[in-house]
Amino acid sequence: MAGGKMKKDKQKGPRAPSNHYQGGVTFHKSKGQHILKNPLLVDAIVQKAGIIPTDTILEIGPGTGNLTKKLLEAGKMVIAVELDPRMVLELQRRFQGTRFSSRLKVIQGDVLKTDLPYFDICVANIPYQISSPLTFKLLFHQPAFRCAIIMFQREFAMRLVAQPGDNLYCRLSVNTQFYARVSHLLKVGKNNFRPPPKVDSSVVRIEPRKPRPEVNHKEWDGFIRICFIRKNKTLGSIFKQKNVLSLLEKNYKTLQALQGSQNVSLSGNDDMEIARLGNESMEMDDGMDDDMDMECDEAEGEGEVSEFKNKVISVLKEGKFEEQRASKLSQESFLTLLSMFNKAGIHFS
């Protein structure tokens, strides 16, 4: 019995590295903890960030500090946001008593629920499950930062940079590129991490547009959400769906009534029915909800075309958008169509 048990323990010994230790800390794949182990890749990320000595850098998910050390060497200060208290302790222990200790501020908490302080540049190797909400939290952060260099799951990164006509072009692509210039920097193989994730990654550069587009973001997202209900169907067929027309007509009639009482507000504070078209806000868009399930029945029979439906179709025809598809439309085209709808009194928020 004893001998057998000792033999079993010995068999477990060689498999210890699968626990993925660094500095005495165990990494958990379930929490998205994949630490960069390739120093050349760490150097490349810092170099691509274009950090200058006066920069305050926001690092999200610093882990045990491999990237943090390089960021401290390059910039003025690093603000590190880390959820795992074990990592926070390891980070503080690593830099305690060094020349960097006074230039590192560690915030323990969920970055999605944390009020972020001022920063010039964001550099992050994040848990991939927070990719979309974090991206939009950063894009709406004020004051605007210079750029963000972020490691994403490769397919998500490709959606961010996809162009009209690309297979991966989606609502995420349109919304992100509306508020920022996005570029792909590096492809990163899974073996550059400890423990290795199941998929390859990519490093993306995000530069917020300055000034920000002067468009109500709820209005914009409500409009884009409808256009991408079926991204490969024509806009004419999408806007003829009876539930789309019904929701838009409710918005239209509500705004008409408000205008009649001189209390109209298009600031996005009024909760319109259009929100029912999706269960997630733009900030939660992961680009995977294209072709969402919606009723495709048209609003009326051939002999019963409503006045409001005619109004919607006339806008599409006037701009020659009736036979266009969202999967191939540019930012400028979306903006043009939204402006035309708004001028006709049709709103999406």
Side-chain angles (χ1 to χ4, degrees):
M1 291 283 292
K5 186 174 183 180
M6 287 181 66
K7 186 176 181 181
K8 185 178 279 188
D9 287 341
K10 286 181 180 180
Q11 287 176 342
K12 284 185 177 180
R15 291 199 297 269
S18 66
N19 289 325
H20 309 293
Y21 287 99
Q22 179 174 320
V25 179
T26 308
F27 304 139
H28 300 298
K29 283 186 176 183
S30 61
K31 296 180 180 179
Q33 293 177 342
H34 300 279
I35 308 301
L36 275 172
K37 68 177 184 179
N38 184 340
L40 295 178
L41 183 57
V42 171
D43 289 340
I45 291 173
V46 174
Q47 187 270 326
K48 295 285 185 182
I51 299 168
I52 58 177
T54 56
D55 279 340
T56 294
I57 305 155
L58 174 70
E59 185 184 9
I60 301 167
T64 56
N66 293 346
L67 179 57
T68 310
K69 183 176 184 294
K70 295 294 183 178
L71 296 175
L72 285 165
E73 291 172 351
K76 177 182 178 182
M77 182 176 184
V78 172
I79 301 167
V81 182
E82 173 59 61
L83 179 62
D84 191 334
R86 302 171 310 134
M87 299 293 183
V88 171
L89 288 173
E90 180 62 27
L91 205 61
Q92 292 171 335
R93 187 181 299 118
R94 179 170 184 170
F95 295 103
Q96 185 177 15
T98 71
R99 61 190 175 98
F100 300 125
S101 59
S102 62
R103 297 197 282 116
L104 173 64
K105 178 182 179 181
V106 183
I107 300 173
Q108 182 181 337
D110 184 341
V111 67
L112 299 179
K113 300 175 182 177
T114 300
D115 291 331
L116 300 177
Y118 171 86
F119 61 93
D120 298 295
I121 288 180
C122 174
V123 180
N125 171 27
I126 62 172
Y128 292 153
Q129 59 266 32
I130 69 167
S131 295
S132 186
L134 176 63
T135 297
F136 285 100
K137 175 166 183 159
L138 291 174
L139 288 178
F140 290 114
H141 178 75
Q142 290 296 321
F145 52 93
R146 190 160 78 247
C147 74
I149 308 296
I150 305 181
M151 184 91 68
F152 291 115
Q153 181 177 332
R154 181 161 175 78
E155 183 174 339
F156 184 90
M158 293 299 97
R159 287 178 180 274
L160 288 180
V161 302
Q163 297 299 305
D166 293 350
N167 287 337
L168 292 177
Y169 188 64
C170 60
R171 186 161 56 95
L172 175 67
S173 318
V174 175
N175 277 331
T176 307
Q177 294 172 34
F178 185 64
Y179 293 101
R181 295 178 179 85
V182 190
S183 54
H184 182 270
L185 298 180
L186 298 168
K187 180 179 178 180
V188 182
K190 62 187 76 173
N191 291 329
N192 288 287
F193 298 91
R194 183 188 300 115
K198 294 180 179 179
V199 295
D200 289 334
S201 305
S202 281
V203 179
V204 171
R205 182 183 182 92
I206 300 174
E207 297 180 58
R209 295 189 186 276
K210 299 176 184 178
R212 289 173 66 183
E214 294 183 6
V215 174
N216 179 336
H217 80 266
K218 290 185 178 180
E219 177 79 0
W220 169 261
D221 185 55
F223 167 66
I224 296 298
R225 188 182 293 275
I226 288 178
C227 292
F228 277 90
I229 286 172
R230 292 279 193 275
K231 73 175 185 178
N232 290 312
K233 283 189 175 290
T234 64
L235 294 177
S237 66
I238 289 172
F239 279 91
K240 287 176 186 175
Q241 292 179 20
K242 65 181 181 182
N243 39 2
V244 171
L245 283 170
S246 175
L247 292 171
L248 290 180
E249 189 167 12
K250 286 180 181 178
N251 282 3
Y252 179 75
K253 289 179 177 178
T254 301
L255 291 171
Q256 291 290 307
L258 288 171
Q259 286 173 337
S261 61
Q262 297 184 342
N263 288 324
V264 66
S265 172
L266 298 181
S267 65
N269 294 324
D270 301 309
D271 293 328
M272 297 294 186
E273 289 291 323
I274 199 67
R276 290 172 51 200
L277 280 175
N279 294 323
E280 300 177 337
S281 67
M282 175 175 64
E283 288 81 355
M284 296 300 291
D285 173 24
D286 62 2
M288 301 298 287
D289 59 350
D290 302 321
D291 298 343
M292 66 181 78
D293 291 333
M294 293 277 293
E295 294 180 21
C296 294
D297 299 335
E298 292 197 3
E300 315 281 347
E302 285 296 326
E304 302 177 22
V305 180
S306 71
E307 181 181 346
F308 183 76
K309 180 178 177 181
N310 273 334
K311 191 178 189 69
V312 171
I313 300 304
S314 67
V315 170
L316 293 171
K317 286 183 176 179
E318 181 185 349
K320 299 181 179 179
F321 286 103
E322 192 176 16
E323 298 302 318
Q324 300 273 10
R325 291 168 170 77
S327 60
K328 299 184 184 301
L329 283 185
S330 65
Q331 297 278 339
E332 293 75 14
S333 296
F334 282 120
L335 276 172
T336 297
L337 180 55
L338 177 60
S339 177
M340 291 178 68
F341 273 128
N342 287 171
K343 286 177 181 177
I346 300 169
H347 291 271
F348 298 82
S349 70

